[in-house]
Amino acid sequence: MKRPTVQDVAREAGVSPSTVSRALHTRGYASPDVRMRVQAAAEKIGYVLDHNARNLRSRTSTSIGVLISDLRNPFYADLAAGIEEELRAAEYQMVLVNDNGDPAEEMRAAETLLAMRVPGVIVTPVTAACPRVLQDNGVHVVCADRELGRSGGDVVLSDNKAGARELTEHLIGLGHTRIGLLIDETKWSTGAGRLAGFRAAHADNGLDVDEDIVAYTSFDAEAAQLTTRRLLNEHDVTAIISANNVLAQGALAELKHRRVKIPKQISLAAYDDLPWMSLVQPALTTVDQHTVDLGRRCAQLLLARIRDELPARRRIIRVAPRLIVRGSTGPAPKA
């Protein structure tokens, strides 16, 4: 069957093709009655807007690229949800690509987005090369959640140092001086900021950080469980902070396996609040990054760049996190 055209809609609605275009794209004037008639006609004959043809005519795209690291992780899903909500309101479409944290996949995705002539991309960068290639080809870029080097582009971040500092100070205030930190990376601004906040809280309270109980692991729940096992086998700790939600799963699994009483024997806290953390018993004390809002802020900043509403200087936006105290943290056990 032949695909319905704008001319077909115009005949069905009894208006001109230019009126159809204004009514369906909502960027020109059409009276409410005409708009409803045109939309009803389009639905009746099965007309669907052809964004690709529209993009070719205008030599621009109404699509925005969103490159994220792991859709299985609820953090990235929430980030994408916030981005999509803002883009949809502005009549842009989101092209979502999951690069699995692989630099080669990330670069291939960047090349695809360049071929699509997208005006902007939001990326949780794996390497600095991806944002740089996009910017060198005239694409506006906003880096989300993490910053790699001095790319010169805009960045929207959670204030990781402040959040980790407040979380650590909460435990110190409960009498904990032997706090293990479970962390997967410090090369990105995300992990580096959380480690810096952990150290700053100790320094503020006149405590030294025992480097032996800063436990490095990989971004994997099973690996985090094994690392937690080694930490508990080799060191005395009264509390554990997991630097993200994936590591928190591993730490909790090991404590449950050992039948450790939380928080009577060991307190457990995590960075990055997710729904499951309030459902387990006891519920986990966490830092909420306001991830959906983080995504919205990324989209707002990118759209402002595309519309040329901002001065050329680089923007760095930090979204303040929030400490949520629940039942998994309590007073340090007496020696």
Side-chain angles (χ1 to χ4, degrees), residues 120-236:
V121 173
I122 297 168
V123 56
T124 57
V126 180
T127 69
C130 173
R132 193 181 307 120
V133 158
L134 292 166
Q135 289 170 328
D136 288 348
N137 283 273
V139 176
H140 297 287
V141 176
V142 171
C143 290
D145 180 50
R146 64 179 76 118
E147 180 182 18
L148 299 180
R150 293 285 177 178
S151 66
D154 296 321
V155 187
V156 179
L157 307 166
S158 172
D159 194 337
N160 292 292
K161 182 176 180 180
R165 188 180 208 154
E166 187 176 8
L167 182 58
T168 308
E169 285 180 343
H170 164 67
L171 290 168
I172 292 172
L174 291 170
H176 296 275
T177 58
R178 299 280 298 167
I179 304 170
L181 175 65
L182 196 61
I183 191 164
D184 61 323
E185 57 77 26
T186 55
K187 66 180 180 184
W188 292 338
S189 59
T190 311
R194 293 172 194 178
L195 178 59
F198 178 78
R199 294 189 189 283
H202 281 77
D204 290 345
N205 289 274
L207 297 173
D208 293 326
V209 173
D210 183 349
E211 299 298 336
D212 290 337
I213 58 176
V214 176
Y216 295 90
T217 187
S218 59
F219 189 68
D220 175 85
E222 290 184 11
Q225 181 172 0
L226 292 174
T227 303
T228 304
R229 185 173 302 167
R230 286 195 297 271
L231 175 66
L232 296 176
N233 284 343
E234 297 171 10
H235 303 282
D236 291 324

Side-chain angles (χ1 to χ4, degrees), residues 7 35 60 321-322 328:
Q7 287 74 19
R35 197 179 296 281
T60 60
R322 177 173 65 108
S328 68

Side-chain angles (χ1 to χ4, degrees), residues 17 22 24 76 95 213 230 241 262 273:
R22 290 197 304 273
L24 293 181
Y76 293 107
V95 179
I213 58 176
R230 286 195 297 271
I241 293 175
I262 306 171
D273 187 51

Side-chain angles (χ1 to χ4, degrees), residues 20-34:
V20 171
S21 181
R22 290 197 304 273
L24 293 181
H25 292 121
T26 70
R27 298 199 177 190
Y29 176 75
S31 70
D33 288 344
V34 169

Side-chain angles (χ1 to χ4, degrees), residues 277-306:
M277 294 178 175
S278 63
L279 300 176
V280 296
Q281 290 296 327
L284 294 190
T285 292
T286 63
V287 173
D288 180 6
Q289 299 192 76
H290 305 293
T291 312
V292 174
D293 187 52
L294 193 73
R296 291 192 194 104
R297 300 288 291 275
C298 289
Q300 290 165 2
L301 178 55
L302 185 63
L303 291 171
R305 282 290 180 211
I306 291 170

